[in-house]
Amino acid sequence: MSKVPFITKEEAQEIAKTYPTPFHLYDERGIRANAKAVKEAFAWNPGFKEYFAVKATPNPCLIQILRDYGCGCDCSSMTELMLSKAMGMEGADIMFSSNETPEEEYAYAAKIGAIINLDDITHIEFVENILGKLPETMSCRYNPGGVFKMSNGIMDNPGDSKYGFTTEQMFDGYRILKEKGVKNFGIHAFLASNTVTNEYYPMLAKQLFELAVRLEKETGADIKFINLSGGVGIPYQPDQEPNDIKAIGEGVRKVFEEVLVPAGMGDIAIYTEMGRFMMGPYGQLVTKAIHEKHIHKEYIGVDACAVNLMRPAMYGAYHHITVLGKENAPCDHQYDIAGSLCENNDKFAVDRMLPQIDKGDYLVIHDTGAHGYAMGYNYNGKLKSVELLLKEDGSVEMIRRAETPKDYFATFDCLPIYQNLEKEF
Ligand SMILES: *Cc1c(COP(=O)(O)O)cnc(C)c1O
């Protein structure tokens, strides 16, 4: 599948007059079409709900779009809970799937009625001590250990991951929770990340559905929902076949009818906590080539850096790049595309074949809509960029302003000199 920028070179030039590069741009039309497809793919399950993983793209303006399709929020921290609450969500609209969770975060989650998804069996007592009494609805995160394999060779390694309850702990945990008065139960698991195959959710679902049947039979816990969490991936490489969410929904339905319906558990709700799949393809980072450097390799220096998009530096992740205005030019130049951090891993691409790049060219870095801006940091004193929404009518709206030096210095309460910085800029 070819990767298409949301904007032309002329449009980038126009936008940059108001919002200088680098900027993150999100495509409202794409977000809506995808959210609608997700909703339809699981419409067979009356209780279905997607809890958008806030950590992927923590921007309320974008999450508000997902609200139109019935999405709630999946939170991993205090500020994500606060953001969801501030957006008007409460109770069953919020899932709290955290780990190594501080006391005050559990307390706040309970206060706003979020569904608490426990990451460990010892957290039963931990939460009980904080709240006095456990909420009526609780969920537990499952980690079967071992490796998770699919037929296309994709696999992940739950046995090596810090999350969840073991199988034995699931049974003990549900018994204890039931004794302590919990009435409604959920099961959650996240066993493989960025899976680009329609097989992942159905395989995971089968494993969780079978566990649910055994758990209900052996502990008497009333299981109300099964949360397939995140992990549905996107094709970062242009030659990858994207996931077909309709086929994924149908695959889950098939195992639902095979396993849960015959067990008399056909009223269970399916929940998801997708982040990447909901937003990843609908964000692009636009940056400008500001330097070219010819040493042992050919470098193009751009005005974005790993602070704007950390995935290539952190994971060596591939993000496709289009040079605006040169969409059809031959890719006959080999470049490293470098950001300005004092870190040699600050490269958006290494040995990438691209059209000849000239200073002033705009580069579009694709698939930055999830785990992009969100992973940003302030190393080298770099400031985070603006976030822009390309609306369905073609207009551009600022949905988060760029950071300024004042933001960077804002936490130095002890040094009043920094509070008068405005006059410096
Ligand atoms: C990160 C995360 C998600 C979202 O994962 P994606 O790969 O972005 O879909 C969902 N649930 C939990 C608990 C997570 O940690």
Side-chain angles (χ1 to χ4, degrees), residues 125-424:
E125 217 183 304
F126 188 75
V127 172
E128 192 183 29
N129 287 340
I130 298 162
L131 303 181
K133 185 177 181 311
L134 292 174
E136 284 200 349
T137 301
M138 295 209 83
S139 174
C140 299
R141 179 167 184 167
Y142 178 49
N143 180 345
V147 289
F148 190 91
K149 275 193 197 133
M150 283 165 284
S151 61
N152 67 354
I154 293 185
M155 56 175 234
D156 221 316
N157 206 347
D160 221 21
S161 95
K162 66 173 177 173
Y163 307 107
F165 293 48
T166 66
T167 309
E168 202 188 336
Q169 288 173 343
M170 287 296 280
F171 286 85
D172 292 344
Y174 281 60
R175 276 191 203 98
I176 297 167
L177 288 169
K178 193 154 183 284
E179 274 165 25
K180 292 184 184 292
V182 174
K183 296 200 165 58
N184 311 307
F185 289 81
I187 303 177
H188 169 281
F190 189 155
L191 301 186
S193 199
N194 191 30
T195 57
V196 190
T197 159
N198 297 333
E199 223 182 314
Y200 171 63
Y201 261 4
M203 275 184 74
L204 171 68
K206 185 160 192 285
Q207 207 170 334
L208 296 184
F209 294 169
E210 286 168 356
L211 176 69
V213 173
R214 285 176 53 208
L215 270 172
E216 194 158 289
K217 207 157 97 194
E218 291 179 33
T219 69
D222 185 5
I223 295 166
K224 300 281 199 206
F225 62 87
I226 292 176
N227 184 345
L228 303 176
S229 190
V232 178
I234 60 168
Y236 287 100
Q237 307 263 359
D239 59 353
Q240 276 177 301
E241 183 71 25
N243 282 328
D244 175 353
I245 196 67
K246 186 151 180 45
I248 291 174
E250 277 306 302
V252 175
R253 167 156 71 162
K254 193 161 157 277
V255 286
F256 190 93
E257 283 169 2
E258 270 166 29
V259 180
L260 289 181
V261 172
M265 295 165 72
D267 56 351
I268 284 183
I270 301 299
Y271 294 165
T272 55
E273 293 174 342
M274 291 182 279
R276 197 186 311 269
F277 188 78
M278 301 306 289
M279 288 288 183
Y282 315 112
Q284 295 177 348
L285 173 60
V286 181
T287 181
K288 194 157 75 172
I290 55 174
H291 295 290
E292 50 182 277
K293 173 163 182 158
H294 317 282
I295 50 168
H296 310 291
K297 293 176 89 171
E298 292 296 296
Y299 292 93
I300 295 294
V302 295
D303 60 4
C305 63
V307 160
N308 307 107
L309 175 69
M310 199 195 219
R311 297 186 73 258
M314 190 162 177
Y315 311 118
Y318 179 94
H319 279 265
H320 198 67
I321 294 176
T322 303
V323 184
L324 292 182
K326 298 180 177 175
E327 285 83 349
N328 300 314
C331 293
D332 53 3
H333 283 62
Q334 180 171 308
Y335 293 114
D336 280 17
I337 307 295
S340 54
L341 295 190
C342 306
E343 279 282 352
N344 196 40
N345 66 2
D346 186 15
K347 294 176 178 178
F348 293 113
V350 175
D351 298 334
R352 181 81 55 92
M353 296 307 295
L354 288 163
Q356 180 184 326
I357 298 173
D358 298 297
K359 276 189 272 182
D361 277 349
Y362 290 99
L363 276 61
V364 166
I365 304 177
H366 292 258
D367 302 314
T368 61
H371 311 291
Y373 180 97
M375 288 176 94
Y377 56 124
N378 285 115
Y379 194 46
N380 281 201
K382 297 285 176 179
L383 303 175
K384 294 207 225 164
S385 78
V386 68
E387 288 185 295
L388 304 173
L389 180 63
L390 178 60
K391 303 192 24 165
E392 284 186 301
D393 65 7
S395 65
V396 169
E397 186 191 343
M398 181 169 72
I399 54 173
R400 185 193 314 246
R401 69 163 170 82
E403 282 182 340
T404 66
K406 207 176 163 198
D407 296 310
Y408 185 77
F409 291 114
T411 42
F412 291 117
D413 288 345
C414 50
L415 295 172
I417 183 173
Y418 292 118
Q419 287 161 10
N420 299 316
L421 272 172
E422 290 100 302
K423 58 179 179 289
E424 294 285 330

